[in-house]
Amino acid sequence: MTHLCSLLFGKDRSKFAAGVVGVIVAVKVMRFISRAVKQRKQATMIANLEKDVVHLFSFPRWARGPHFSTPCFRVECFLRLARIPYKIHFTMDPSSSPTERLPYIVYNDTVLADSEFIVQWLIKKFDVQANRHLSAQEDAIGLAARRLVEGSLQLGVQRMSMVDNSNHIVDIYRGEIGVPRFVAAYFVRQMRKGYINLLNVVGHGDLTDEQYKSEMLRDVKALEALIGAKPFLLGNKPTTYDCNVYACLQMSLAYGIQTPEFDYLSNSTTLRGYLERMGQSLFPDMDAIIARRKDATQTFRLSSS
Ligand SMILES: N[C@@H](CCC(=O)N[C@@H](CS)C(=O)NCC(=O)O)C(=O)O
């Protein structure tokens, strides 16, 4: 039998090198072919979608609300706020998205990812008026609230749920997906690592437990003050900024984690009332859509009331 040393250093080394190159080339060719096949399938799927309807590709629904992914939630809230007809396609595979993340939308020939850019594109495309009545100052408050919920508040919520209470998340995922606990634990462990990396990269990991919890409470109280006695963030009717705030708050409470910070949120009369009004306004059919959460798609043509 040829010894490894002779393969690496002896007269057989050119044969060995050719073999290694052959394997590498074969693997690359296989990858290229499988990517090409996937892209072709994807292009066919997109070409076959019904025209003049927004197709939203999202993670599936869960029992605790319309979404377990905040960005997917925001986009669906917006479509409902703007009364744009849409069909939602549930998938666990983000690889077909242009950014390899969900959500993404398809509208005729346009394929677009990232919740914020999707909303901006839809506002232009459908001439959505939801924010038209806002003054420059109100618009700035809306943007600040959006940055607050999608910035520090979301990081605090992710740390408190996915990092500090990951065992609770394992139990939830086990129930939702119906897999053995060790499988759910494996996925949550991978996600936890990802969140820890993210929190460290953005500097949130530098905060002590005490500091991040007090910052989180500050964010929640700031939101309470911004909403105040108004029915919605900026007045009597919801704007696109309410979609961002509502998705973040609903998701934060959906995990049912009991900490002083989450308890403050769930006991706040202002925020509870706000969540109820947003739910009634955008998801009056919440129970029905959750009950049908195993459907592969759901189509909505909401009346313009
Ligand atoms: N900035 C993006 C973020 C989208 C995003 O992070 N999506 C996550 C789910 S919440 C995702 O698709 N993760 C799948 C993965 O990373 O493999 C947006 O707002 O749409």
Side-chain angles (χ1 to χ4, degrees), residues 32 118 266 278 281:
F32 176 80
I118 292 172
S266 78
M278 282 299 291
S281 168

Side-chain angles (χ1 to χ4, degrees), residues 59 68-72 74 94 100-103 113-116 195:
F59 284 111
F68 63 80
S69 151
T70 322
C72 298
R74 274 177 221 142
E100 303 203 342
R101 283 174 181 266
L102 296 175
D114 193 286
S115 59
E116 180 54 24
Y195 279 110

Side-chain angles (χ1 to χ4, degrees), residues 1 3 87 89 153 174 197 235 238:
M1 197 171 84
H3 193 271
K87 180 167 182 171
H89 303 249
L153 181 56
R174 186 179 57 138
N197 280 342

Side-chain angles (χ1 to χ4, degrees), residues 108-145:
N108 297 340
D109 295 334
T110 302
V111 184
L112 193 65
D114 193 286
S115 59
E116 180 54 24
F117 293 107
I118 292 172
V119 166
Q120 287 182 20
W121 186 85
L122 290 169
I123 287 177
K124 272 201 193 132
K125 183 79 196 168
F126 291 89
D127 191 23
V128 176
Q129 306 286 324
N131 293 3
R132 283 281 165 86
H133 61 289
L134 299 179
S135 67
Q137 195 185 18
E138 286 170 328
D139 202 46
I141 292 171
L143 184 62

